[in-house]
Amino acid sequence: MGTAAKTAFVLAGGGSLGAVQVGMLRSLTAAGVRPDFIVGSSVGAMNACYFAGQPDAAGVEGLARIWLSLRRRDIFPFTLSAALGLLRHADYLVDPSSLRGLIERHLSYVALQEARLPVYIVATDMQGIAVTFSRGSAVEAIMASAAAPGIFPAVEVDGAPLMDGVIAANTPLWLAMTLGASRIFVLPTGYACALEKPPASAVGRGLHAITLLIAWQLIRDLERLPEEIDVHLAPALCPLNVSPYDFSRAGELVSRAAAASQEWIAEGGLTRRATPADLAPHRHADHHG
């Protein structure tokens, strides 16, 4: 007898666009889709860990409340002391202590193995190889997974400096397959396909570039995924003109993603296999006309 088919949720990164995953989780949970385990990278690691602590509708609404209360300064504080700090440490832009405090305040468990749902967090070592955490400090794993190069400092775990999970060649989609999932739901953050101009700040531009990297990597992974893997892609929001550095529109992102996912489910999304064409590069005519 073979082992029972496993279902995985895969949550990638995307800065403030991580709010869309809350809307997707809301609709998937309401439709009765239950993962056997969850995989997360970068901001997707934060969402994955929170959901793994309470993998039900109440957990999703708790996560929604956190996102609605978030402000940019909660994750990317820019103060005079931060600016002076930048002169002392030229290798990163943002002090990670605010992000660490945010995670510590809201996570209901300390070690990853204590979560109600098995959770796997992806970071990247200095050779570009994916490093996976499923045990040990959840905060350290999330901080390593979210350490966007140049924005946050690398995080040392067991003596090895680690950075954002998005950099690794094998994304969370492949990890989910390796861990035995035959049915995978990808919850993409998407990218700001309708921005009229690049984000003004260095951090904003860096985050926008990372969201593009994630999207193209996901297209390549879908192209290479074996046919026998039943993969489904919750709909990325389009058109989207929210910078991944803008945390003021979380409520709108959650609502739009929940509505789009509900429609996708109603139209058979839970049974239709995703294709790379679902994420095809595209342009929007400017919105001035």
Side-chain angles (χ1 to χ4, degrees):
M1 292 287 289
T3 55
K6 284 187 178 177
T7 296
F9 282 1
V10 172
L11 282 64
S16 65
L17 304 184
V20 304
Q21 292 172 340
V22 182
M24 293 167 177
L25 286 169
R26 180 183 283 167
S27 295
L28 285 166
T29 302
V33 183
R34 300 278 183 269
D36 294 293
F37 65 90
I38 188 165
V39 178
S41 175
S42 203
V43 74
M46 298 179 223
N47 286 339
C49 281
Y50 188 91
F51 183 72
Q54 192 176 359
D56 53 27
V60 174
E61 296 318 310
L63 185 56
R65 285 192 294 276
I66 294 169
W67 273 99
L68 293 179
S69 71
L70 274 185
R71 297 295 173 263
R72 181 186 294 168
R73 65 177 175 272
D74 295 327
I75 295 177
F76 300 108
F78 273 108
T79 60
L80 180 58
S81 61
L84 292 172
L86 181 58
L87 298 176
R88 287 197 303 273
H89 51 68
D91 56 336
Y92 61 91
L93 291 170
V94 180
D95 183 334
S97 54
S98 290
L99 176 58
R100 181 180 289 273
L102 178 77
I103 298 164
E104 287 172 343
R105 279 196 306 280
H106 292 294
L107 212 54
S108 62
Y109 54 91
V110 174
L112 290 170
Q113 66 269 26
E114 295 165 359
R116 283 169 51 188
L117 186 70
V119 57
Y120 297 85
I121 301 305
V122 183
T124 307
D125 73 11
M126 290 298 147
Q127 304 297 320
I129 306 299
V131 177
T132 305
F133 296 97
S134 59
R135 303 182 65 78
S137 167
V139 173
E140 291 304 318
I142 296 170
M143 290 299 294
S145 185
I151 298 175
F152 287 121
V155 174
E156 269 203 24
V157 180
D158 296 331
L162 302 173
M163 57 184 171
D164 200 313
V166 69
I167 309 302
N170 33 346
T171 65
L173 184 59
W174 281 80
L175 175 60
M177 184 184 73
T178 306
L179 290 168
S182 55
R183 185 179 185 228
I184 300 174
F185 288 89
V186 183
L187 282 61
T189 55
Y191 63 96
C193 56
L195 275 186
E196 292 179 3
K197 56 182 185 292
S201 70
V203 173
R205 287 182 187 221
L207 289 173
H208 181 63
I210 285 172
T211 61
L212 296 177
L213 180 68
I214 293 165
W216 305 154
Q217 194 178 67
L218 184 52
I219 289 172
R220 286 196 301 272
D221 282 355
L222 286 172
E223 286 170 346
R224 292 165 48 221
L225 204 65
E227 279 296 323
E228 62 269 20
I229 301 295
D230 188 17
V231 61
H232 307 281
L233 187 69
L237 297 184
C238 178
L240 184 62
N241 66 352
V242 181
S243 160
Y245 191 45
D246 178 1
F247 287 80
S248 68
R249 292 168 68 183
E252 171 196 336
L253 293 176
V254 172
S255 299
R256 275 185 68 190
S261 298
Q262 204 170 347
E263 188 178 330
W264 169 74
I265 289 166
E267 292 172 353
L270 301 183
T271 56
R272 187 177 59 249
R273 193 180 195 273
T275 70
D278 296 336
L279 290 165
H282 58 278
R283 294 188 185 281
H284 294 278
D286 72 52
H287 302 291
H288 303 299

